[in-house]
Amino acid sequence: MTAHRSPKHRSPGEHRRVVVPAAASKREVLVAFGAALGFPDYYGQNLDALNDCLQDLASELANGEGAPLEVEWRVHPAFRATAPFAAVEGLLADAVGASEDTLTVRVVDA
């Protein structure tokens, strides 16, 4: 059984940081998120699956299951110019909103 700590019982400054490496295509970006965030084997590597896994992560964090998480997404210039970039950015924003301030995302140019 895993012990769950509420956010109130976290040590000050306790957090995790994950870097999602730059990728030029939608498929590569989806693979990179799955690998960096340790998504389960059933992660389908599509936008719906990314949303599902991000919402699960946000819910777990909001419930005190794990230390707060900072995600740094390094964005390849070729990907930033595509429509899927905006979709992924929106999914990340939704997850941040659902996490009750336990998930932060920084989007940086690669």
Side-chain angles (χ1 to χ4, degrees):
M1 178 177 209
T2 304
H4 300 287
R5 294 185 298 163
S6 73
K8 296 175 186 170
H9 296 104
R10 288 191 182 111
S11 301
E14 180 184 356
H15 71 281
R16 300 173 290 151
R17 182 172 180 269
V18 172
V19 174
V20 179
S25 73
K26 176 182 166 184
R27 176 157 173 33
E28 291 170 340
V29 166
L30 293 168
V31 169
F33 268 97
L37 294 173
F39 289 163
D41 291 339
Y42 58 82
Y43 168 58
Q45 298 176 353
N46 59 57
L47 291 174
D48 287 337
L50 177 62
N51 183 54
D52 290 345
C53 287
L54 287 173
Q55 289 300 317
D56 289 348
L57 174 63
S59 178
E60 291 168 3
L61 291 170
N63 289 327
E65 299 175 36
L69 177 63
E70 175 188 343
V71 175
E72 179 180 298
W73 177 26
R74 298 182 180 167
V75 181
H76 191 285
F79 187 72
R80 187 179 284 275
T82 67
F85 167 77
V88 172
E89 194 174 40
L91 297 178
L92 291 168
D94 290 347
V96 167
S99 75
E100 297 181 12
D101 298 323
T102 57
L103 173 65
T104 57
V105 175
R106 288 186 331 128
V107 180
V108 298
D109 292 328

